[in-house]
Amino acid sequence: MLDLAIEAATEAGRMIKMHSGRAMKVESKSGQETNLVTDLDRKAEELIIRTIKKRYHNHDFLAEESGSHETKSDYRWVIDPIDGTTNFTHGLPIYCVSIGLEHRGELILGVVYDPNRDELFTAEKGKGAFLNKRPIRVSGTRTLIEALVVTGFPYDVRSNPGHVVQHFNNFLMAAQAVRRLGSAALDLCYVAAGRFDGYWEVTLNPWDMAAGVLILEEAGGKFTDLEGFPSTIHRKSLLTSNGIIHEQMVEVLKRVKGEG
Ligand code: IPD
Ligand code: CA
Ligand code: CA
């Protein structure tokens, strides 16, 4: 299954990279002007599902652009064909393909492929996390003031501003520096690889998180809700870190009352 997920992710990744910067059809979706979908998102998703279905025709799928295909299997593939679509439409080379697999609701496999850097992040439950087949580990950064942290902003920020700006501002004051890359799956993999020390975001979907969360956990990272309690990819918000600075991040998030 890992080999199949790698095959699907790398093929889809190469296809989207080939079309990046070229004219493409861009549309809004979910009633939000800034939430974009391109024909490449759809094509990449079709390719991934087709590749997996060739071997496992009765598995379930939860995929961003085509929704949930229920056949009531124990296995469900959770797919984001392009994570970082806004970057992709602008030709900014920060996007990836993300494929996770749940068995009876538990994440067992994750593959994230960044076609611009040819970086393949993989994990299987209990077997560690890898970048291009080499083991990866979260950072050993001990304090927030030494930490490079990252976040993202939701598409519905205009109608539902939450507290994203306040959180951002608070981390700007508390951490060494804050980044916003525009790809949740890469944010998670970068915490896993020790490039970032922590990552929080208030509004995400399961396909943004599935593969990256398993990769992060298998690299020794911690994944909770914004208050530091155990979470799942089916909840909206997330806090992840190297584990060591987790409580320090929870304290910063607590400064703003109410989740989001
Ligand atoms: C988005 C990216 C972004 C995050 C958004 C996601 P998409 O996914 O992961 O970093 O801030 O919340 O929706 O739309 O590019 O697949
Ligand atoms: Ca996404
Ligand atoms: Ca997407």
Side-chain angles (χ1 to χ4, degrees):
M1 286 194 205
L2 178 64
D3 290 342
L4 190 67
I6 291 174
E7 179 192 328
T10 49
E11 271 186 31
R14 283 178 194 132
M15 177 175 86
I16 57 181
K17 186 187 169 195
M18 229 165 62
H19 289 83
S20 153
R22 295 197 196 164
M24 62 182 92
K25 203 166 146 220
V26 184
E27 293 165 52
S28 299
K29 64 176 184 181
S30 314
Q32 290 154 351
E33 201 182 339
T34 55
N35 192 353
L36 307 177
V37 58
T38 72
D39 45 347
L40 264 302
D41 292 79
R42 296 197 183 99
K43 277 187 192 146
E45 186 166 302
E46 279 161 24
L47 186 152
I48 295 163
I49 293 175
R50 208 171 46 237
T51 308
I52 296 168
K53 272 195 173 163
K54 259 192 254 161
R55 277 288 295 283
Y56 302 107
H57 64 276
N58 58 348
H59 281 186
D60 293 346
F61 292 85
L62 173 61
E64 180 172 12
E65 312 304 343
S66 58
S68 174
H69 317 207
E70 293 253 312
T71 55
K72 300 272 182 291
S73 157
D74 282 348
Y75 291 94
R76 180 163 73 161
W77 296 85
V78 187
I79 299 163
D80 193 339
I82 305 181
D83 185 54
T85 295
T86 306
N87 290 345
F88 175 69
T89 62
H90 288 265
L92 180 66
I94 306 175
Y95 52 83
C96 62
V97 178
S98 174
I99 303 177
L101 177 62
E102 292 175 329
H103 178 245
R104 297 187 176 161
E106 187 195 13
L107 286 168
I108 57 163
L109 183 159
V111 171
V112 171
Y113 180 59
D114 169 356
N116 291 293
R117 283 159 209 78
D118 199 21
E119 288 192 330
L120 179 72
F121 296 89
T122 55
E124 285 174 283
K125 182 87 191 164
K127 294 189 183 168
F130 300 84
L131 165 52
N132 291 344
K133 302 207 165 133
R134 293 209 178 91
I136 49 172
R137 204 62 221 154
V138 290
S139 73
T141 303
R142 304 211 68 79
T143 63
L144 196 47
I145 194 66
E146 299 167 294
L148 182 60
V149 296
V150 66
T151 189
F153 303 126
Y155 290 118
D156 66 351
V157 71
R158 286 164 197 79
S159 55
N160 183 20
H163 299 292
V164 288
V165 176
Q166 289 95 318
H167 286 316
F168 192 90
N169 198 41
N170 289 341
F171 276 105
L172 213 49
M173 297 303 144
Q176 187 179 72
V178 187
R179 300 287 181 261
R180 194 287 194 240
L181 299 187
S183 166
L186 286 179
D187 294 335
L188 286 163
C189 290
Y190 287 5
V191 178
R195 296 172 180 174
F196 287 132
D197 306 295
Y199 164 45
W200 82 98
E201 186 152 352
V202 299
T203 313
L204 288 171
N205 287 297
W207 45 80
D208 301 312
M209 296 187 251
V213 160
L214 185 69
I215 292 165
L216 168 101
E217 289 186 323
E218 287 297 320
K222 189 164 177 175
F223 161 58
T224 67
D225 66 12
L226 296 181
E227 291 172 333
F229 296 111
S231 193
T232 79
I233 61 162
H234 301 286
R235 293 194 51 199
K236 289 259 159 209
S237 60
L238 112 181
L239 170 62
T240 63
S241 76
N242 65 2
I244 310 168
I245 62 160
H246 210 81
E247 267 312 305
Q248 297 168 57
M249 291 187 77
V250 170
E251 287 307 312
V252 173
L253 290 164
K254 267 194 207 158
R255 290 184 203 160
V256 177
K257 291 280 169 249
E259 203 170 275

